[in-house]
Amino acid sequence: MTVSSINPRTGLVEEDLGAESTAEQVAATCRAAAEAAVLLAAADRGVRSALLRAAAEELEATRAEILAIADRETALGTTRLDGELNRTCYQLRHIADVVDDGALLEVAVDPAGPTPAGPRPELHRMLVPLGPVAVFGASNFPLAFSVPGGDTAAALAAGCPVVVKAHPAHPATSALTFGCLARAVARVGLPAGTVGMVQGHEAGQALVQDPHIQAVGFTGSLAGGRALFDLAASRPSPIPFYGELGSINPLVVAPGAAAVRAAEIAEGYVGSMTLGAGQFCTKPGLALVPREHAAEIREHLGRALGAAGPAWLLSEGIHRAFRTGVADRAAHPHLNPVRAAGGPAAPVAEPTGYLAEPALFWTTTDDLDEAAELVLEECFGPVAVVVEYSGTADLLAALARVPGSLTGTLHAEEEDAELAAVVLPALASNVGRVVYNGFPTGLAVAWGTTHTGPYPSSTSVTHSSVGASSVRRFQRPVTYQAVPEHLLPRALQAEGLRATPRRLDGESVPTGG
């Protein structure tokens, strides 16, 4: 099959990029990654951080071309894409700082000697790279979660070569940004196999099954991610699959907050669920509001919905699934549409491309059993469901039914303290990030970031896919027992130890100590 660049504004092919990657090409790319893995694993931390910084510089130098092509393929607009490119470059440099810091090597040295449990040999422990990593680019972030995105940065930081499976929604953007990575690799003197890229559905399956690949990073749909997760688990030697899949991201409005901030919360909620045309994995797809303030909140939601205009979705598949999802919800007897108020008149002409009008539906906890399949199922795009609850027990029972999510949000005031004391732990038990009096569609890139959650939002709850701890996914521990110093990895020899924070006989020692 041919790889085609399609414009979401028209639905038409803009450019044919050639054939999809063959099985032989996938295998050759993975072999090159395996050959590069030896040199990258042995490289000093400074080489890895230099690679990440060089990648950021190459992306910035190609900014104008990236923005033009990415806008053509995604219809996200150059302003949004410019911000995403800034985030991508910041993310690369942040992870470079993490590499330079050295703490994520988790170096520990235990000298030989007597202990209450008996004699102890000398032990040197550190984290080492897993090996070549497959990264699947996401449709909704063609830069920050795609070819040069967070999974790629984390894997390279860990010392793992990367083979990216480009997303079919932005193949030209993928090829362009891959060229930036390849130039960065050449600049720091690493082998070309340090980064590779393949295109095509079958190529993605072959990539996960290739014996040289030692881990997978994935951001995408629940169905597609689960299929690849099962492939990774069914290999003769199963490998870790770090998948970010579907997420509902519940948002709770407490009675006190509804009484004083109904209009503000409604406007913010609609803004959050329509941000990026509702194609964020952190979109709050479910809101729970107190019954005693339901009428007021619904009125404000209708006004905010009326002010929200249509937006283009990223691909034909997303557009088709969105239209089906909205139609299913509109036809359900226990889901009632929130009518937009005061908005612009609907266009007379049939829209071209993958245009989507925002939609919001309303139900109650009394009807949740009948509508649960649609209320608790993610629908990508600008659509969400609001559920009325009656009292704390009713709210907690509804939250207990929400599938694992990336985020959970609570809007509350001081008079809601008793409710907040039980709702916040309930949210924390089922999400990776708890938001208070805000909205979840902004995600910081930082040491304290958590971007994961219980299944189905993610396939692993132990490590974030964004921020400093994202590197840890692609490392494993190795202990060297009674190995002479000159045979240890350089990071565990005396000079390397002085340049690395570590634990010595259980005590924390800073860099230079």
Side-chain angles (χ1 to χ4, degrees), residues 349-439:
E350 181 70 19
T352 60
Y354 311 135
L355 200 65
E357 291 281 353
L360 198 55
F361 295 90
W362 194 280
T363 191
T364 70
T365 52
D366 299 330
D367 294 328
L368 193 54
D369 283 340
E370 288 77 8
E373 183 177 347
L374 294 176
V375 174
L376 303 178
E377 178 184 89
E378 182 189 37
C379 181
F380 218 50
V383 57
V385 178
V386 181
V387 178
E388 288 181 31
Y389 68 86
S390 180
T392 302
D394 192 36
L395 170 61
L396 292 175
L399 283 175
R401 302 187 61 175
V402 177
S405 294
L406 296 169
T407 75
T409 300
L410 174 63
H411 280 266
E413 297 292 319
E414 288 186 11
E415 56 267 38
D416 298 312
E418 188 174 337
L419 180 142
V422 293
V423 168
L424 287 173
L427 290 174
S429 70
N430 203 35
V431 306
R433 176 165 59 103
V434 177
V435 180
Y436 189 79
N437 283 346
F439 296 94

Side-chain angles (χ1 to χ4, degrees), residues 50-67:
L51 170 59
L52 296 170
R53 298 184 202 283
E57 291 169 3
E58 292 291 342
L59 289 167
E60 289 173 336
T62 320
R63 181 181 296 269
E65 191 176 359
I66 290 173
L67 296 184

